[in-house]
Amino acid sequence: AVDVLPLAQAGGGAPSRFLLLFRDRTAERRIERMRTDFVANASHELRTPLSSLIGFIETLQGPARDDQAARERFLAIMREQAARMSRLIDDLLSLSQIEMKRPPAPGHTVDLVELLEDVRHLLEPVLEDSGVTAELEVEPGDYVVQGEHDELVQVFSNLIENACKYGASGERVLLSLAFEPGEPRTIRATVRDFGPGIAAEHVPRLTERFYRVNVESSRAKRGTGLGLSIVRNILLRHSARLVIWSEPGMGSAFSVLFPIRKK
Ligand code: ADP
């Protein structure tokens, strides 16, 4: 498609020059489609716990009005559904905030060894709950990158939480830092679990919004399907890449490849 826009002329009068704009309508349509899909998905995800809440409220007002045991049970479920909506809204807000920011991320100096230790400390309750020990293995070297500390905390928190949720329950999770072999200007930070792994056909789609290998298992584990798309968007701002390795039965490794900027 071609749009022709007249260029305004100094002093008014009919424009004598024209600017030809070649717009890629297919790309526009794809973006529009993604936007509507996103709104539809988000509404659906919010509607599910909301419908369940309304159902339980009606039951409590009617048939279960005088049943003390049922009341307790229903209230516990309602609380979990409300918490689920709250997690979804938090993740939707994080995602939209990060998408609104333009790259690049501010160039603060971030030491990845300190950062991984901070995240491990922050996640102690989660690790304890799932009985997971997180080991940190660092090959000799300086692992300093440029970026936004809090955003990178979010990246590694999401990856480690996923390793606990889907990967290793009662096992270990290995965090490692190394320089990429043959690429001394690239740092590889990996979160490795020894869980069931992910079938190959799912791997390329994991960072799509709301994509889950198993929706029920993700819900049961308090997932929203947004964690890895938040990770992806933060990494885009850092010119970093996410590389996923997974082998059914062997576990998964989510590696972030950071470029080291020239001084
Ligand atoms: P969720 O909120 O469901 O955890 P994510 O975007 O963080 O969403 O992850 C998307 C899906 O990828 C999860 O639902 C899960 O099926 C799969 N997944 C993520 N990390 C792992 C892992 N370490 N091992 C196995 N599956 C994983």
Side-chain angles (χ1 to χ4, degrees):
V2 181
D3 289 342
V4 184
L5 290 187
L7 283 180
Q9 248 191 343
S16 63
R17 287 187 299 150
F18 290 86
L19 175 66
L20 289 186
L21 284 183
F22 293 87
R23 266 204 263 159
D24 185 348
R25 297 264 184 207
T26 355
E28 268 177 26
R29 258 193 296 247
R30 207 185 53 229
I31 291 168
E32 186 50 38
R33 176 78 205 269
M34 275 167 60
R35 218 192 326 263
T36 41
D37 280 358
F38 177 59
V39 173
N41 280 332
S43 312
H44 175 76
E45 292 293 330
L46 284 166
R47 179 146 285 291
T48 311
L50 189 58
S51 304
S52 147
L53 269 176
I54 294 171
F56 281 113
I57 291 170
E58 284 168 1
T59 314
L60 284 175
Q61 285 175 325
R65 187 188 293 265
D66 303 315
D67 183 341
Q68 188 59 30
R71 280 175 67 93
E72 293 301 319
R73 209 155 30 87
F74 293 167
L75 283 170
I77 302 174
M78 289 166 71
R79 194 194 166 118
E80 177 48 42
Q81 299 295 350
R84 167 163 185 75
M85 292 180 70
S86 169
R87 279 194 300 274
L88 258 164
I89 290 168
D90 285 347
D91 277 0
L92 284 168
L93 283 175
S94 291
L95 188 60
S96 82
Q97 270 164 9
I98 202 76
E99 281 183 342
M100 270 185 315
K101 293 185 189 169
R102 294 248 164 265
H108 304 305
T109 302
V110 180
D111 182 325
L112 292 175
V113 180
E114 279 171 21
L115 186 114
L116 286 181
E117 271 165 359
D118 288 350
V119 175
R120 185 163 63 165
H121 187 65
L122 260 169
L123 289 184
E124 252 162 35
V126 178
L127 292 165
E128 229 164 78
D129 266 1
S130 38
V132 168
T133 40
E135 292 162 28
L136 177 58
E137 252 179 32
V138 183
E139 279 182 17
D142 271 339
Y143 297 97
V144 174
V145 295
Q146 306 296 308
E148 175 81 63
H149 178 270
D150 292 357
E151 289 181 16
L152 294 178
V153 164
Q154 198 172 1
V155 165
F156 289 101
S157 302
N158 283 356
L159 296 179
I160 298 171
E161 278 184 292
N162 278 353
C164 293
K165 282 196 289 189
Y166 308 105
S169 110
E171 287 190 44
R172 67 191 182 116
V173 165
L174 191 60
L175 315 177
S176 59
L177 280 170
F179 283 89
E180 192 64 346
E183 278 184 56
R185 304 206 67 83
T186 306
I187 292 174
R188 178 182 278 257
T190 301
V191 177
R192 163 89 161 95
D193 68 62
F194 301 86
I198 308 161
E201 73 259 32
H202 297 293
V203 172
R205 302 198 55 191
L206 294 181
T207 61
E208 286 175 22
R209 298 149 166 172
F210 296 114
Y211 190 84
R212 285 158 289 187
V213 173
N214 178 330
V215 175
E216 281 319 308
S217 132
S218 156
R219 288 220 176 109
K221 291 172 173 163
R222 308 188 164 184
T224 61
L226 294 174
L228 288 176
S229 47
I230 295 173
V231 165
R232 175 174 171 273
N233 278 284
I234 295 177
L235 294 182
L236 273 175
R237 269 165 56 71
H238 286 79
S239 309
R241 283 188 296 143
L242 181 68
V243 176
I244 305 172
W245 169 90
S246 192
E247 186 86 44
M250 306 274 286
S252 312
F254 289 74
S255 298
V256 180
L257 301 188
F258 288 101
I260 308 172
R261 292 188 199 151
K262 290 207 172 66
K263 290 195 183 104

